Amino acid sequence: MHQFASSLLSFFLSPLLWIVLLVLASFVFKKRSAKKICLVAAVVVFLLFGNGLLLNWYARQFQPAPLALNPGTVYSCGIVPGGFASPDIDGNGIFNSTADRFIQALTLFKQGFIKHIIVSGGNGRKELDSFREGAWVKQQFIILGVPDSVIFIEDRSNNTLQNAVNTKYILDSKHLPPPYLLISSAHHLPRAQLLYKNAGVVTVGFPCSYIAGRGIPTLADLKPDLGVIQTWNVYLKETAGYLWYSL
């Protein structure tokens, strides 16, 4: 129930949805004043959440800055939460736009910053239950030269909360000492670290896959942009999730 309520809340945290509902409401209301209020509100939401400067400012406040590891720093394990790979229409694994988690974990292992890798991810698509993200990603690591013996997988979870709880069992069973390097998308990391902390897993966040907050501000950012509005969905969802699990 807790997870369902969180998902339902995040569904409605969409500026584009607000705009659509306000425009529709302007057709439903009979009074001219009510119609005007709805249309003005829709324009305000569009201008506010279409503003790239505001999005980048918020992203910088919410997500952590890149982490520079000092030479000689070694973590017993790097944890890579799932969600960066999924099955295609034929059931074959493919990487998505957050696959930088995989790239960074591979790089960190090759550079000697992490000794082991835990991949935690199942499959959110029930119609293709044969695909398990953790198992598929492990094979990609092996193809690129990571020894099978240092890769652990947890491929039963379908969300970050389950990632954290199930990963805790692996860490305890393998007797790997904390803290652990948690490698995830920058916008996802605040909520992920909170959930791992709640599960009793001490982590140091390693952000990657930045989608906002790292570019150089320009005047063009002031122009309303639909892509900016859609990106807000990600940050509002993550903020709501963070606040929800902070309660």
Side-chain angles (χ1 to χ4, degrees):
M1 183 66 180
H2 191 81
Q3 180 67 28
F4 173 77
S6 177
S7 299
L8 186 63
L9 177 63
S10 66
F11 171 78
F12 288 103
L13 292 177
S14 168
L16 186 58
L17 176 63
W18 303 341
I19 294 171
V20 171
L21 292 177
L22 286 168
V23 172
L24 290 176
S26 71
F27 289 101
V28 173
F29 288 123
K30 301 298 183 181
K31 290 185 178 181
R32 180 175 298 179
S33 58
K35 291 177 178 291
K36 183 177 180 180
I37 290 174
C38 289
L39 289 175
V40 169
V43 171
V44 170
V45 172
F46 176 72
L47 293 176
L48 186 65
F49 288 96
N51 186 325
L53 288 179
L54 179 61
L55 171 64
N56 285 313
W57 174 84
Y58 184 81
R60 286 192 293 272
Q61 311 312 307
F62 181 73
Q63 65 196 11
L67 177 65
L69 297 177
N70 295 322
T73 301
V74 181
Y75 293 89
S76 67
C77 187
I79 303 171
V80 191
F84 59 93
S86 58
D88 63 13
I89 194 171
D90 298 315
N92 300 311
I94 55 174
F95 286 112
N96 62 35
S97 60
T98 61
D100 192 31
R101 303 181 194 184
F102 175 87
I103 297 171
Q104 295 303 322
L106 177 64
T107 302
L108 290 165
F109 177 80
K110 294 288 188 179
Q111 292 177 331
F113 289 115
I114 56 177
K115 292 183 177 180
H116 301 84
I117 299 173
I118 290 182
V119 181
S120 177
N123 176 19
R125 293 184 59 181
K126 301 302 181 183
E127 73 275 17
L128 291 173
D129 192 56
S130 60
F131 176 83
R132 312 309 301 177
E133 182 180 11
W136 184 80
V137 172
K138 178 178 181 178
Q139 291 306 310
Q140 309 315 303
F141 275 124
I142 292 174
I143 290 172
L144 294 172
V146 180
D148 176 279
S149 59
V150 304
I151 308 171
F152 308 122
I153 63 170
E154 180 288 297
D155 60 2
R156 297 283 95 182
S157 60
N158 295 317
N159 56 58
T160 307
L161 177 59
Q162 294 173 4
N163 290 158
V165 173
N166 294 338
T167 296
K168 174 76 162 96
Y169 292 129
I170 297 176
L171 292 169
D172 290 346
S173 66
K174 301 300 180 182
H175 305 290
L176 299 175
Y180 313 102
L181 202 60
L182 182 57
I183 308 160
S184 190
S185 305
H187 58 268
H188 175 248
L189 204 51
R191 179 169 63 92
Q193 278 200 277
L194 175 63
L195 291 173
Y196 275 83
K197 177 182 177 181
N198 291 346
V201 182
V202 180
T203 66
V204 173
F206 190 91
C208 55
S209 296
Y210 285 89
I211 59 175
R214 298 299 300 167
I216 300 174
T218 66
L219 289 177
D221 292 329
L222 293 172
K223 182 181 68 175
D225 185 277
L226 183 60
V228 172
I229 295 176
Q230 293 175 318
T231 303
W232 268 108
N233 293 356
V234 175
Y235 284 95
L236 292 176
K237 173 190 173 183
E238 290 298 332
T239 301
Y242 180 86
L243 294 175
W244 181 268
Y245 288 109
S246 296
L247 299 178

